[in-house]
Amino acid sequence: MTSPAQGGLVAFTSHWRQKFIEHLQWLAPRHEVIHLGYCGHANPGDNAISLAEDRLLRDAGISVKARVTDIDLELRYDATEALVRANPGLPILFRGGGTLNDVYPPTGDRHARIIEAFPDRPILEAAVSIHFSKLTSADRLRRAIGRHRHFRLLARDDQSHAWAREYLDCQVSLVPDAVLTGDPRPRKAPQRRRIGTVVRDDLEVSSERGAVPTGPHIPWKSEPRALHEPRLLPARLRSRLQGPNARTCRIEPYAARGRVARVVRLLSEYDAVVGDGLHVTLMCIMAGIPVVAVDNSYGKVGATFRTWNLESLAQARLADEFTEALSIARRWVT
């Protein structure tokens, strides 16, 4: 990708914000939508996507009539489907992210079930990475999309876009991650010559990332749980807040804002950050924090760098492994 990036980060985000809004306006010309898969857990990256999509919906003049978390979609599917049916005719927006893959197989299956259950509603799969190591793992999803009359997909990198164009029978468009449609925030570096690291510990760990840094690790998913996760409040309140229902629809954005604000404050304490997560990189870019990224197990970090030429937009680099990443970061802070 070239033209918008050449004008700098502000021009890039502005350009793609408008493109994203155009897709949302196709989805919801009546200005109401059901937002499915909203982040209901501690990962700040998924929460940042949810908040970015909230902002884009507001900018598009679209209100969220019902909001269902990814936890509800997974653990309370019947209740989720019932809630969607209770809002007849409303279009569906699936939260974007690394959602369509066979690293976490249930995610694609849940999306397929919703697509199958509501064949006449417009459905938009917001900016996703796609990775199926076996094509058969995507069979149900492919069939569901092929039978749906009003389904569109937004791919957030070139390799996902190419896969979707080849294997999915639907309209596919290339857009960046929703986080990259926000407003970049300049910052004054703390000038402590400190490098923070964020090291993933999930199923997306790459075997090629090298030795894990021994320096200070930023607690990416750690948080005051009762404050930021409504589902973990005392049981007498939890029983009233469990969703999907109107209360959780209103509460989830507050929880998401708390999680994202916490991690941005932590990242901002360092002169540079090294990490192997996509949203560590994107949140640093948007907050004006120099960042060096190492790829995840199936290449979505590298694909994002290459597709959107991130090194031309911010002080951001892609390294082959942690030793190289730390070397680059040290040169920046000395």
Side-chain angles (χ1 to χ4, degrees):
M1 300 301 298
T2 53
S3 53
Q6 292 171 351
L9 183 58
V10 173
F12 178 92
T13 57
S14 176
H15 172 86
W16 288 106
R17 182 185 306 129
Q18 185 55 45
K19 292 295 183 182
F20 215 119
I21 287 171
E22 290 172 9
H23 289 291
L24 292 173
Q25 289 172 334
W26 163 83
L27 174 69
R30 291 193 297 157
H31 306 301
E32 285 189 324
V33 71
I34 298 172
H35 200 178
L36 292 189
Y38 200 90
C39 184
H41 55 82
N43 189 330
D46 290 338
N47 281 275
I49 295 172
S50 297
L51 292 176
E53 290 172 357
D54 278 343
R55 185 193 62 251
L56 288 162
L57 287 165
R58 288 194 299 271
D59 290 349
I62 298 169
S63 63
V64 178
K65 185 69 180 295
R67 181 180 287 112
V68 179
T69 69
D70 43 13
I71 293 174
D72 287 331
L73 189 57
E74 178 180 359
L75 301 180
R76 305 179 185 92
Y77 176 82
D78 291 342
T80 296
E81 186 174 320
L83 183 145
V84 176
R85 293 193 185 283
N87 293 275
L90 285 188
I92 296 168
L93 173 68
F94 277 121
R95 173 180 63 81
T99 55
L100 298 185
N101 56 61
D102 50 11
V103 179
Y104 310 104
T107 306
D109 288 342
R110 291 192 299 272
H111 286 213
R113 290 179 69 181
I114 290 290
I115 295 166
E116 291 166 347
F118 301 99
D120 296 323
R121 300 197 194 193
I123 298 177
L124 180 66
E125 186 86 44
V128 292
S129 294
I130 306 174
H131 172 76
F132 289 97
S133 57
K134 297 179 180 178
L135 187 57
T136 53
S137 301
D139 280 351
R140 183 175 184 180
L141 181 68
R142 294 173 63 204
R143 288 195 300 269
I145 290 173
R147 294 168 182 162
H148 200 282
R149 295 185 296 174
H150 309 290
F151 180 90
R152 292 187 182 184
L153 182 142
L154 306 182
R156 65 180 182 180
D157 59 68
D158 279 337
Q159 66 184 26
S160 300
H161 184 255
W163 189 96
R165 290 286 300 273
E166 182 172 0
Y167 294 115
L168 298 181
D169 183 14
C170 66
Q171 181 170 321
V172 181
S173 300
L174 181 67
V175 301
D177 187 280
V179 171
L180 287 175
T181 66
D183 295 316
R185 299 184 299 276
R187 70 149 192 166
K188 184 177 180 179
Q191 296 183 341
R192 300 171 184 168
R193 297 186 178 181
R194 298 175 65 203
I195 299 171
T197 59
V198 180
V199 180
R200 67 185 320 143
D201 59 358
D202 56 17
L203 296 175
E204 295 183 38
V205 170
S206 172
S207 60
E208 300 178 0
R209 68 179 183 175
V212 172
T214 57
H217 288 189
I218 298 169
W220 183 247
K221 296 181 182 179
S222 176
E223 62 181 353
R225 301 178 79 188
L227 177 62
H228 294 311
E229 293 221 23
R231 300 181 195 290
L232 300 177
L233 290 168
R236 64 182 181 277
L237 293 178
R238 187 171 65 243
S239 63
R240 294 165 56 190
L241 298 179
Q242 281 183 335
N245 59 40
R247 291 188 184 93
T248 52
C249 180
R250 292 192 298 269
I251 287 172
E252 293 300 342
Y254 290 99
R257 283 196 286 272
R259 295 175 188 130
V260 171
R262 178 196 65 84
V263 80
V264 170
R265 283 195 300 270
L266 292 174
L267 293 169
S268 297
E269 294 176 2
Y270 296 90
D271 296 277
V273 171
V274 167
D276 57 347
L278 177 58
H279 283 91
V280 176
T281 303
L282 301 188
M283 291 166 75
C284 283
I285 287 174
M286 297 301 291
I289 303 166
V291 60
V292 190
V294 176
D295 219 340
N296 75 315
S297 60
Y298 61 89
K300 70 180 178 184
V301 181
T304 300
F305 263 85
R306 291 186 292 272
T307 302
W308 306 110
N309 195 13
L310 295 186
E311 294 186 3
S312 73
L313 297 178
Q315 193 170 355
R317 289 282 301 277
L318 181 67
D320 290 333
E321 40 79 33
F322 275 126
T323 301
E324 179 190 359
L326 284 169
S327 177
I328 294 170
R330 290 188 185 111
R331 291 200 297 271
W332 285 350
V333 303
T334 55

